[in-house]
Amino acid sequence: AVVRTNNQNYLVSGSDVGCCKVIVWDPVTWQPNQAHVAHQGAITGIVTYKTKPILSAGYDKKLNIINVEQDAIVLAGIPCESPITGLIKNKNASRLIASCLDKALYIWQIVRDYKLKAESVVLERKIQNNCKISGMVSSQILPELIVISTQDAKIKLVNI
């Protein structure tokens, strides 16, 4: 994911050593600018918000919100029922969608407080699928639609 702060772009990734860190990279020097121990297992998704924080997800069944400007995890350990395998936001960034090992999609509403410059997520619902989800893409037409691919070689349009 790419995040822009203080008029500079940064690349954000999960680490390959230890698998539990979210690294914020300086793309000019290719050196880590920040490192956050955010998970107890592999990081499986990173998305950016409109107001600069990033959200990470992992096999440890947790979501974390990291504020790059503050160099801090501002909300840690948002629970999920199953290990998270993928993470996207919908077209208008009002929801986060996680695919999980239990063959389900978990839908969180993004809650913003612009006055406090804070963000959180609230679990709205779980949509059970009959097969593991191997990929997800937000619809560019309608914000309430996503496209998923499943391990049984099917593509589905899902109304979240």
Side-chain angles (χ1 to χ4, degrees):
V2 175
V3 65
R4 183 168 181 80
T5 183
N6 300 325
N7 294 323
Q8 185 171 349
N9 290 325
Y10 294 96
L11 180 65
V12 183
S13 72
S15 67
D16 63 348
V17 178
C19 297
C20 59
K21 288 183 183 176
V22 172
I23 311 266
V24 180
W25 299 89
D26 182 329
V28 175
T29 64
W30 292 109
Q31 295 298 310
N33 183 279
Q34 298 175 21
H36 303 277
V37 178
H39 293 277
Q40 295 175 350
I43 295 168
T44 56
I46 295 175
V47 297
T48 58
Y49 284 160
K50 288 182 178 178
T51 57
K52 297 191 180 104
I54 58 172
L55 189 128
S56 64
Y59 273 166
D60 61 356
K61 306 179 189 178
K62 293 189 173 95
L63 302 168
N64 293 307
I65 298 175
I66 300 168
N67 187 311
V68 176
E69 288 182 336
Q70 296 174 3
D71 191 6
I73 298 173
V74 293
L75 189 57
I78 302 164
C80 186
E81 293 176 21
S82 181
I84 301 167
T85 59
L87 187 69
I88 61 171
K89 61 185 174 186
N90 67 333
K91 180 180 185 286
N92 64 1
S94 63
R95 290 187 174 81
L96 291 168
I97 303 98
S99 59
C100 296
L101 285 180
D102 64 358
K103 304 177 185 174
L105 293 170
Y106 290 81
I107 317 300
W108 283 272
Q109 179 184 11
I110 299 173
V111 180
R112 294 183 174 89
D113 185 333
Y114 290 104
K115 185 176 180 181
L116 297 175
K117 295 184 179 178
E119 303 196 39
S120 184
V121 294
V122 176
L123 184 63
E124 281 186 343
R125 69 184 164 281
K126 173 182 173 181
I127 301 172
Q128 191 64 51
N129 194 41
N130 59 358
C131 188
K132 285 185 182 174
I133 299 160
S134 55
M136 301 182 293
V137 177
S138 297
S139 164
Q140 297 304 305
I141 301 167
L142 296 171
E144 62 272 4
L145 296 177
I146 65 167
V147 178
I148 64 170
S149 59
T150 59
Q151 287 187 335
D152 61 354
K154 293 183 181 173
I155 295 176
K156 299 178 181 180
L157 189 61
V158 180
N159 186 341
I160 58 167

